[in-house]
Amino acid sequence: MSEEKNNAEAREGVDFIRAKIMADNASGRFGGRVHTRFPPEPNGYLHLGHAKSICLNFGVAREFNGQCNLRFDDTNPTKEEVEYVESIKEDVRWLGGDWEDREFYASSYFDKLYEYAEELIKMGKAYVDDLSADEIRAYRGTLTEPGKESPWRNRSVEENLDLFRRMKAGEFPDGSKVLRAKIDMASPNVVMRDPTIYRIRHAHHHRTGDKWCIYPMYDFTHPLSDSIEGITHSLCTLEFVNNREFYNWVLETLNVYHPEQTEFARLNLTHTILSKRKLIQLVQSGVVSGWDDPRMPTLCAMRRRGVPPEALHEFCRRIGMARSDSTVEYSLLEFCIREYLNAHTARWMAVLDPVRVIVDNFPEDGEEVFEMPLHPEDPSYGTRTVRFTREFYIERDDFRMDPPGKYHRLAPGREVRLRYAFLVTCTSAVLNEDGSVREIHCTYDPASRGGQSPDGRKVKGTIHWVSAKYGVPAKARLYDHLFAMDNPADVPEGKTFLDNVNPDSLREVDIVLEEAMKSLPVGETVQFERMGYFCKDRDSTEDLAVFNRTITLRDTWAKIASKGSM
Ligand code: ATP
Ligand code: MG
């Protein structure tokens, strides 16, 4: 799809979900109300896939003057932790999601859900089953074969009620009984073959403590939570398509308020794993330093790496909403990050791979002071002061003993512009024994102050530099994809996705910063001229700043768009 077409579609803002909401509003279906929810399970940190869902649910609510709830889907006591609840709130807030006072928990509805379950039993629509989990699976049948009824399926209402109450009272061990909806073991939809709605788990819950030893299943909890909260549009990912029939069955059978479930394609990204279950393995195995290791696709990692939330909004706007699954190129995310940072960050000079340059005709203790703009196109950023001295650093890569054709940087006999400072001409270089460059000697043109050519002579190259006398040593972490291949979940026999980790995804280097960068606060993202965007990390100390590279400057999007692979 061309970028223009992509843009135009997104700008009109009428993907199929919004179109549906408009139609519902027009027909008065929910009385013109729009009420969505974002329902994370607190079993890990949110990732880029969740950003898509957050932007959709909170975005739709905002656009249609509606509301969006934050609901923790905390039905699984053993995997959920308070730490995750707090991180999820922080991440949703960071992305601009505002749930006001509507912070809800599925676990708050446990009493109500239990009553609903008893109601189903009384209607003859649910029964206690003694089959084991394995037996239930075996009895379920397949896509091509109908299932088989459990021998316990026709227990009387009284017996079912008695057993269910005793399940609740803790009389039975984990896994010995479940409560199942009584629907149709021959249904072509496997989900409808008497799905389990309650199971026994003698486990402590982060909110309800030890009150319960039976817990409702997600498929039963979700429609009822939506109903209790008065949700209108329950938006979920495509893997729930087959669950929609049961969603409707629960609400219809209990004859309660009925929201509508609509599915959209989940986000898949090249080079990226988007599954909390797998991300937790990266954390626990020590492949990364934590959930917010800047190589992770989590929202806290994005934030730590210096990715602004606006870039993620734009990314979500561009990927749009589709009804079938596809994989988005990671470079589209990078494009959105670059585009935002280009317009919204100050420029500084830092040398990542320093080599020393000496200006032989510059006074030994001399210095020249320059006021440099912090943004070339936006004067509102102001300026900073930079001191030029006889010795300074440039990038090792900005010098060649034998320059190839079209190399416009420094080489013996060549003149370059030092950004905002002077024109210098290389006179010689001193080499180490191994042939690497130890130091470079130059002369400068005192008439070229500010980097202007005094007589109209052409100087093609401009390079950045940092004074050796005033520059500040620091560290930079340079990142590459955590997974080099497009689809890291694609694993050969006998391997796991952990074997796909790129061993070169992190490189730490010693760098030199302009002196005034000392005062940059942690969390600030800036451009290192010509080198990329960097964010000051919380690992920085008084003496040593640490910068994470948010992203390089190189833009591959144009190439990708013209190849038509999006
Ligand atoms: P994971 O597999 O990472 O655990 P999940 O779907 O189990 O994801 P939940 O906490 O249940 O995670 O997700 C909360 C909401 O975010 C759900 O509505 C879910 O559909 C949505 N969501 C999760 N992953 C994606 C994704 N990759 N793209 C779009 N939406 C997603
Ligand atoms: Mg889930």
Side-chain angles (χ1 to χ4, degrees), residues 39-41 43 50 73 218 239-240 276:
E41 183 180 353
N43 62 347
H50 296 110
D73 160 33
Y218 177 83
E239 65 271 25
F240 292 100
K276 284 179 285 186

Side-chain angles (χ1 to χ4, degrees), residues 38-41 47 49-50 52-53 237 264 266-267 274-276:
F38 173 64
E41 183 180 353
H47 52 62
H50 296 110
K52 177 174 181 178
S53 181
T237 38
F264 62 93
R266 63 189 292 118
L267 170 66
L274 292 180
S275 150
K276 284 179 285 186

Side-chain angles (χ1 to χ4, degrees), residues 228-252:
I228 291 166
E229 292 176 17
I231 300 303
T232 55
H233 299 85
S234 179
L235 310 174
C236 64
T237 38
L238 276 176
E239 65 271 25
F240 292 100
V241 163
N242 293 331
N243 304 57
R244 194 200 314 147
E245 197 177 345
F246 183 58
Y247 182 102
N248 293 335
W249 182 92
V250 170
L251 300 177
E252 275 159 26

